[in-house]
């Protein structure tokens, strides 16, 4: 409820039944999450589909505040951090999430082979699981890189044409 006062809060990556139980046991009325409880319209909420969990939080008067997109697009947020991690130069934005902010960043790196680029991703993101498409197999050198936190699939059509790789 907009008018409710926060008496206790908890941070979580996502809402789930365990967090709901903790909230009820510890008199917590506000949950701050990264992922939103609902990605579609609030009108989709009902007890007959996968969106029944957010209704449980509402029923118990527990506020849920999600920072997902705001944290991705804000100055110094996840998009900017990815640009910094990959040492992008001449950074520009793309992928309008609203009229004031863009979710994507793109820029240039020193010319690099695709094999070395994969190693850089593994090192910079501390992962050994890299998926790529047929197009990536065909390129030899990479200079221009675009980044979006999360899947970014809804922004594919907005990726600038001069980009060699989209992460």
């Amino acid at each position: 409820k907009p008018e409710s006062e926060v008496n206790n809060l908890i941070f979580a990556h996502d809402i789930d039944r365990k967090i709901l139980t903790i909230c009820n046991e510890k008199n917590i009325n506000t949950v701050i999450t990264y992922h939103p409880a609902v990605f579609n319209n609030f009108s989709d909420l009902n007890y007959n589909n996968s969106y029944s969990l957010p209704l449980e939080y509402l029923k118990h008067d527990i506020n849920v505040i999600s920072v997902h997109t705001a944290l991705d697009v804000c100055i110094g947020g996840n998009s900017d951090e990815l640009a910094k991690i990959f040492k992008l130069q001449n950074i520009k934005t793309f992928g309008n999430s609203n009229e004031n902010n863009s979710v994507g960043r793109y820029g240039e790196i020193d010319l690099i082979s695709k094999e070395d680029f994969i190693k850089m991703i593994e090192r910079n993101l501390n992962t050994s699981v890299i998926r790529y498409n047929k197009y990536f197999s065909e390129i030899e050198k990479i200079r221009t890189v675009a980044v979006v936190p999360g899947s970014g699939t809804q922004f594919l059509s907005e990726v600038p044409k001069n980009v060699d790789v989209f992460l």
Side-chain angles (χ1 to χ4, degrees), residues 15-16 19-20 53-62 64:
I15 63 166
D16 59 24
I19 297 295
L20 180 61
L53 186 59
L55 292 174
E56 291 296 320
Y57 280 77
L58 288 172
K59 186 167 81 175
H60 291 275
D61 292 326
I62 299 171
V64 177

Side-chain angles (χ1 to χ4, degrees), residues 50-87:
S50 63
Y51 286 137
S52 63
L53 186 59
L55 292 174
E56 291 296 320
Y57 280 77
L58 288 172
K59 186 167 81 175
H60 291 275
D61 292 326
I62 299 171
N63 304 300
V64 177
I65 302 167
S66 301
V67 296
H68 185 266
T69 303
L71 188 59
D72 288 344
V73 303
C74 70
I75 295 171
N78 293 336
S79 295
D80 287 335
E81 192 60 31
L82 282 170
K84 188 187 313 177
I85 287 170
F86 287 99
K87 299 179 179 157

Side-chain angles (χ1 to χ4, degrees), residues 94 106 135 144 146 155-165:
F94 72 96
Y106 71 102
Y135 170 76
T144 309
F155 300 106
L156 280 174
S157 65
E158 297 183 52
V159 176
K161 303 296 181 214
N162 64 327
V163 166
D164 298 320
V165 174

Side-chain angles (χ1 to χ4, degrees), residues 17-35:
R17 297 212 180 276
K18 182 177 179 183
I19 297 295
L20 180 61
T21 300
I22 291 169
C23 288
N24 287 324
E25 289 174 352
K26 299 189 181 281
N27 192 32
I28 296 171
N29 75 334
T30 303
V31 180
I32 298 176
T33 67
Y34 178 70
H35 284 135

Side-chain angles (χ1 to χ4, degrees), residues 92-164:
K92 295 181 177 81
T93 64
F94 72 96
N96 292 323
S97 61
N98 63 42
E99 62 188 49
N100 297 319
N101 300 311
S102 297
V103 71
R105 307 290 185 267
Y106 71 102
E108 298 169 352
I109 60 173
D110 291 335
L111 194 62
I112 189 171
S113 71
K114 67 182 171 194
E115 294 80 15
D116 286 339
F117 187 72
I118 288 174
K119 289 176 189 172
M120 180 176 36
I121 294 170
E122 291 173 339
R123 182 180 61 251
N124 291 358
L125 298 181
N126 193 29
T127 186
S128 60
V129 180
I130 309 291
R131 295 183 299 173
Y132 52 87
N133 61 17
K134 177 182 160 185
Y135 170 76
F136 185 80
S137 301
E138 296 170 0
I139 49 179
E140 294 187 24
K141 300 284 184 183
I142 297 163
R143 176 169 313 276
T144 309
V145 177
V147 295
V148 169
S151 76
T153 54
Q154 69 270 38
F155 300 106
L156 280 174
S157 65
E158 297 183 52
V159 176
K161 303 296 181 214
N162 64 327
V163 166
D164 298 320

